[in-house]
Amino acid sequence: DAKTTQPPSMDCAEGRAANLPCNHSTISGNEYVYWYRQIHSQGPQYIIHGLKNNETNEMASLIITEDRKSSTLILPHATLRDTAVYYCIVRVAENAGGTSYGKLTFGQGTILTVHP
Amino acid sequence: NAGVTQTPKFRILKIGQSMTLQCTQDMNHNYMYWYRQDPGMGLKLIYYSVGAGITDKGEVPNGYNVSRSTTEDFPLRLELAAPSQTSVYFCASRDRESPLHFGNGTRLTVT
């Protein structure tokens, strides 16, 4: 399964867009990119995912480069409540065979601090 | 719909004791996971299961055991607790193409 690399920390001013990068240069064609965030010591919360196309939902936008080697999570108007650890992970699609498609590992993530 | 339920929320163990962390989900998800998170660190995968009767090791399986006799339950067993197992343990589940749903965690201290 592809590994991901994220900057350890980032800052953002309240009301501005937060752009969180993720490198997944070894991603395979059948691997999705998922983003989660973890506030304080709660269980991580799903944000968004994508395969090839850019995606948008009520929480964020996901921009995936054409070669799929990197992606960016965009929080369009960051608030103080968006301060959290953000994790980017890749997940193999179901038809990969064996049980490896079930394995999901997390990296260290990016600590995003939104300041007033 | 309760989602993913973990018990207990907190536990203090003495070195060498054993315990089972319980995890149950009511979403009929096939895939279930156990992660541990040490202070200031990311999540490490301990074990996972892609269906009843099927389990597989993750990144840090040593010192732990799991079973998956039903779709709903995925207990994590610590046989001989060690201080290095002091951590927060998260259980999660998902279905084929759905994202992970996490429980609220179990905070374990081994002294």
Side-chain angles (χ1 to χ4, degrees):
Chain A
D1 47 327
K3 299 302 179 190
T4 62
T5 304
Q6 299 176 253
S9 63
M10 294 184 66
D11 288 330
C12 178
E14 190 177 20
R16 304 297 294 270
N19 298 290
L20 292 89
C22 180
N23 181 287
H24 32 80
S25 58
T26 61
I27 195 170
S28 300
N30 63 353
E31 289 184 308
Y32 291 85
V33 180
Y34 276 75
W35 283 84
Y36 293 83
R37 74 179 182 184
Q38 186 176 27
I39 298 174
H40 298 300
S41 50
Q42 299 173 18
Q45 171 193 25
Y46 166 76
I47 302 172
I48 198 168
H49 74 281
L51 182 64
K52 295 180 183 177
N53 300 321
N54 299 336
E55 302 287 345
T56 295
N57 63 20
E58 65 278 4
M59 290 181 69
S61 295
L62 174 61
I63 308 297
I64 302 174
T65 57
E66 194 170 337
D67 62 7
R68 302 186 69 243
K69 292 182 184 301
S70 65
S71 61
T72 301
L73 177 75
I74 301 172
L75 307 178
H77 305 287
T79 71
L80 299 179
R81 285 178 292 182
D82 291 322
T83 292
V85 180
Y86 288 77
Y87 296 99
C88 163
I89 68 171
V90 295
R91 195 192 88 185
V92 178
E94 293 300 305
N95 58 357
T99 60
S100 64
Y101 57 84
K103 190 174 185 179
L104 289 177
T105 58
F106 286 72
Q108 295 291 346
T110 296
I111 301 171
L112 174 68
T113 303
V114 181
H115 50 85
Chain B
N1 230 358
V4 179
T5 302
Q6 292 185 237
T7 56
K9 288 185 170 57
F10 303 93
R11 183 72 187 267
I12 298 174
L13 279 182
K14 293 190 184 303
I15 295 171
Q17 286 185 321
S18 61
M19 77 164 293
T20 299
L21 282 68
Q22 302 291 347
C23 176
T24 188
Q25 51 92 8
D26 62 358
M27 297 171 282
N28 202 33
H29 286 169
N30 284 323
Y31 307 110
M32 295 189 75
Y33 301 81
W34 275 106
Y35 295 91
R36 61 175 285 174
Q37 186 172 37
D38 298 335
M41 305 297 286
L43 295 118
K44 291 292 186 185
L45 179 64
I46 306 172
Y47 272 95
Y48 67 101
S49 168
V50 299
I54 306 170
T55 62
D56 225 331
K57 294 179 180 179
E59 303 169 282
V60 289
N62 291 344
Y64 307 94
N65 281 300
V66 293
S67 60
R68 185 91 184 274
S69 56
T70 67
T71 298
E72 295 78 20
D73 300 305
F74 191 40
L76 178 71
R77 179 84 177 161
L78 283 72
E79 290 295 348
L80 289 170
S84 60
Q85 293 178 305
T86 293
S87 192
V88 179
Y89 292 83
F90 289 103
C91 179
S93 74
R94 68 174 178 92
D95 211 339
R96 283 176 60 94
E97 299 300 331
S98 73
L100 285 167
H101 297 254
F102 281 84
N104 290 328
T106 294
R107 282 152 182 75
L108 176 67
T109 301
V110 182
T111 61

